[in-house]
Amino acid sequence: MSVEDILSAALGLVRREGMHGLTMRAVAAELGVTPMAVYHYVEDKDHLLRMVVERISAGWPLLQPVADDWEAELHWFLVTLWEDLARYPGLGAYMIELPTMGVDPEKLRDGIKFFESAGFHPSVAPLAWSFALTYIHGRISVDAHLAHTPDAPRLEGLHAQDYVNYGVDAVIVGLRELRDRGN
Amino acid sequence: MSVEDILSAALGLVRREGMHGLTMRAVAAELGVTPMAVYHYVEDKDHLLRMVVERISAGWPLLQPVADDWEAELHWFLVTLWEDLARYPGLGAYMIELPTMGVDPEKLRDGIKFFESAGFHPSVAPLAWSFALTYIHGRISVDAHLAHTPDAPRLEGLHAQDYVNYGVDAVIVGLRELRDRGN
DNA sequence: ACCTGAACACCGTTCAAGT
DNA sequence: ACCTGAACACCGTTCAAGT
């Protein structure tokens, strides 16, 4: 048994049963071992959760600073994030409560740089970046319970995909407008 | 003892200790009674949580359909929501995972009507409404852990208030732009 | 009707003991 | 070093019993 085994067992549990299914005892059972054996590789549940968040966000796409078409880049980035986290029910809702939404400092700086390269003033780039992240994490949280029934219709026959598309469009259009106003 | 006593004890616990402090046993202790006594007035914890959500959202402001200045009305509504829920740490993050974010059908219809009266096509009014709600609930969730340290500075000395102001502006500006485009 | 007390099936986790 | 087993302090909740 290794830390990697524990981590992948944890990720499997979240994928199949959602965040509620991720318990220290379930991880141990998954590995055919006593609950306390896990504590030899992992400090506590909080430590395990941090590893899960790190592993997931490590697989995220990189926001490349581009001057020509930042709208398309941001659109693709947000939708990809949404699709990735949809596979781990409840994880997005957990991350949104973490400091900086669970995003590590490096990726945080990349995002700020991206908005600066897109023409946002350095004083508002962090606000713009945080706005985009907050919306998509909110959307992921809203969709958390729909993960097991992805085709469930909502109001007026609208699907989750429609809400995300409209929301991401609104985010980008709103950001560009604020940028052009210079504040 | 009455259902009202239980509900206000629950609300007090969430206000003081956050959503994690709301346990059936804590509610009972608050009322100087045995844990099982609570179950004589309330079916289970889920029932109690539904009552808490209803009580909080009942106190929300009404989105009045106005044609003249819907931007100001929406701005005020979103900021008020944010301020209200900030007093109950973790409640917003809980509600965002509920169907329709815990908003009751009546208030949901009011919101759609509001956007229609603001000139949004009936086919996109629900999308616009959901977008605004999703963002502000996301923002509330992000701020959930800051509730006990409201003056904690963030990136570059920015405060929670700055993020909300920028975000709500971006939401409204983005929505108006999408409306003017007719989609 | 209203409340208690013991008990059960879950958690995370400590601590002592085994190999 | 690596794992087990018993135990503790929490949960929500069932069930039988008291008034």
Side-chain angles (χ1 to χ4, degrees):
Chain A
M1 188 168 63
S2 68
V3 184
E4 188 56 37
D5 292 335
I6 292 171
L7 181 51
S8 66
L11 287 165
L13 278 166
V14 178
R15 232 185 294 111
R16 297 195 310 276
E17 304 176 29
M19 211 57 178
H20 292 306
L22 176 52
T23 69
M24 297 302 273
R25 293 174 123 102
V27 169
E30 198 84 352
L31 299 169
V33 97
T34 260
M36 287 316 299
V38 179
Y39 284 84
H40 203 265
Y41 301 87
V42 154
E43 284 186 38
D44 51 15
K45 190 177 182 181
D46 201 65
H47 182 205
L48 178 57
L49 287 171
R50 277 200 306 272
M51 289 172 60
V52 168
V53 167
E54 274 173 29
R55 175 61 56 95
I56 296 299
S57 55
W60 282 355
L62 200 69
L63 256 183
Q64 294 286 0
V66 281
D68 57 334
D69 198 357
W70 65 274
E71 282 106 333
E73 171 88 357
L74 183 58
H75 190 284
W76 168 80
F77 174 80
L78 293 176
V79 172
T80 303
L81 230 67
W82 179 74
E83 286 167 347
D84 281 1
L85 276 177
R87 312 223 301 280
Y88 298 88
L91 181 57
Y94 170 74
M95 289 176 69
I96 202 176
E97 289 202 81
L98 294 176
T100 69
M101 294 176 239
V103 180
D104 60 288
E106 195 192 347
K107 276 189 155 44
L108 217 62
R109 278 194 306 272
D110 287 344
I112 295 176
K113 271 187 210 155
F114 170 83
F115 279 96
E116 287 176 356
S117 79
F120 287 79
H121 192 274
S123 64
V124 295
L127 294 172
W129 175 220
S130 172
F131 169 66
L133 270 185
T134 299
Y135 167 71
I136 203 64
H137 271 84
R139 190 63 236 173
I140 289 161
S141 302
V142 169
D143 290 330
H145 69 287
L146 294 175
H148 290 141
T149 56
D151 294 328
R154 320 284 242 72
L155 274 176
E156 345 255 308
L158 293 168
H159 289 63
Q161 191 67 249
D162 301 315
Y163 287 92
V164 183
N165 286 336
Y166 187 89
V168 170
D169 279 350
V171 163
I172 290 170
V173 161
L175 283 174
R176 185 182 48 206
E177 190 71 13
L178 287 189
R179 183 204 59 172
D180 292 344
R181 288 186 189 175
N183 61 356
Chain B
M1 187 168 63
S2 68
V3 184
E4 188 56 37
D5 293 334
I6 292 171
L7 181 51
S8 66
L11 287 166
L13 278 166
V14 178
R15 232 185 295 111
R16 295 195 310 277
E17 304 176 29
M19 211 57 179
H20 292 306
L22 176 53
T23 69
M24 296 302 273
R25 295 175 122 102
V27 170
E30 198 84 353
L31 299 169
V33 97
T34 259
M36 288 317 299
V38 179
Y39 284 85
H40 203 264
Y41 301 88
V42 154
E43 284 187 38
D44 50 13
K45 190 176 181 180
D46 202 64
H47 181 205
L48 178 57
L49 286 172
R50 278 201 305 273
M51 290 172 60
V52 168
V53 167
E54 274 172 30
R55 175 60 57 95
I56 295 298
S57 55
W60 281 355
L62 200 69
L63 257 183
Q64 292 287 1
V66 280
D68 56 333
D69 198 357
W70 65 274
E71 282 106 332
E73 171 88 357
L74 183 57
H75 190 284
W76 168 81
F77 175 81
L78 293 177
V79 171
T80 303
L81 230 67
W82 179 75
E83 286 167 348
D84 280 2
L85 276 177
R87 312 221 303 278
Y88 298 88
L91 182 57
Y94 169 74
M95 290 177 68
I96 201 174
E97 289 202 80
L98 294 176
T100 68
M101 295 177 238
V103 180
D104 59 290
E106 195 192 346
K107 276 189 153 47
L108 216 63
R109 279 195 305 272
D110 287 344
I112 296 176
K113 271 187 211 153
F114 171 82
F115 279 96
E116 288 177 354
S117 79
F120 287 79
H121 192 273
S123 64
V124 295
L127 295 172
W129 175 220
S130 172
F131 169 65
L133 269 185
T134 299
Y135 167 71
I136 204 64
H137 271 84
R139 189 64 234 172
I140 289 161
S141 302
V142 169
D143 290 329
H145 68 288
L146 294 175
H148 290 140
T149 56
D151 295 328
R154 321 284 243 70
L155 274 175
E156 344 256 309
L158 293 168
H159 289 64
Q161 191 67 251
D162 300 314
Y163 288 92
V164 184
N165 286 335
Y166 187 90
V168 170
D169 280 349
V171 163
I172 291 170
V173 162
L175 283 174
R176 185 182 47 204
E177 190 70 13
L178 287 190
R179 183 204 59 173
D180 292 344
R181 288 185 190 176
N183 62 356

